[in-house]
Each structure stands twice: as C-alpha cells, then as structure tokens.
Amino acid sequence: MTLLKRYVLRLLISLKYITANVVDRNNGRIVATSSTVEHSVKQSLECGRTCNAKAAAIVGEVLAMRLKVEGLDQVQVNGIHVNVNKEVEKKGFKNRTKVWAIVNGLKSNGVKLILDDNENDSSRLISVN
C-alpha cells in the first residue's frame, strides 16, 4: 500500500544559506518556509560566511512555528514526508548534520514527520508524544 504524500519537506542547502520549505503536492504550492536569508532569522545567528547545524536547527524551529500557525503541525491523516537520503544526495553532501538538525528542530516542536526510505519503499512515523 502506498501512502499519499501530500505534504513534503524540501531543503535547499548551500555553503552560505539554508532554506526549508513544506510543499503541498496537491496544489503545487509552498505552505510554509523558513530560511537563513530572512532578516529576522539572520539577526539571531552568528553564522558569518557559513551556516552550521545550529543555524539549521533554528530554521527547523521557525518552520515548526509557522506550520503550527497554518495548522499543519499534526497533518490530518499523514504527516509531513521527509526523505533524508534524497535531500543529502541532491547536492552531493556527505555530511547529514544540517539535514538532521532541521528534522530534529521540527520533531522537537511537535511536528508529525514521516521518514521515507527509498531502498525498501517503506515509511517510519516520527512524532513527539
């Protein structure tokens, strides 16, 4: 049985910036976003020229707050799907620290996440109870 992956977490990670988007695949729009480019987030960081895992965790926390405002922190039946392997392999990063920092920032703020595994096409539900 395949799960409908309506809401998906997409990450854009460069050497200087981190952006996290939750995309509604049915409507093709971004429902919530957070980035180190934003003035309010940038002021609270001490990144300098590079963003680290602390910055990624803050991006995850801000995204979680915005999802709560939208009412999407506990998405109806399914959660927000995350494929960590795909997000890491997109840019060829060998370090998963920033990706997991965003996932943990979301998880610690009560967002229901589903980790997708490409290898065996299975999903694991992660939520804070």
Side-chain angles (χ1 to χ4, degrees), residues 8-9 80-84 87 99 103 106 113-116:
V8 180
L9 178 68
I80 296 170
H81 290 264
V82 183
N83 190 334
V84 175
E87 296 298 332
V99 176
V103 169
L106 288 165
L113 296 174
I114 298 174
L115 290 181
D116 293 335

Side-chain angles (χ1 to χ4, degrees), residues 15-64:
L15 293 175
K16 195 170 181 183
Y17 300 111
I18 299 169
T19 302
N21 299 321
V22 174
V23 179
D24 181 355
R25 292 179 57 179
N26 288 355
N27 297 327
R29 69 179 188 98
I30 297 172
V31 293
T33 186
S34 178
S35 176
T36 55
V37 177
E38 297 172 28
H39 187 68
S40 58
V41 175
K42 191 188 294 188
Q43 280 186 328
S44 65
L45 299 176
E46 297 173 5
C47 276
R49 286 201 36 89
T50 60
C51 287
N52 53 18
K54 288 180 185 177
I58 291 172
V59 167
E61 291 170 9
V62 170
L63 184 62

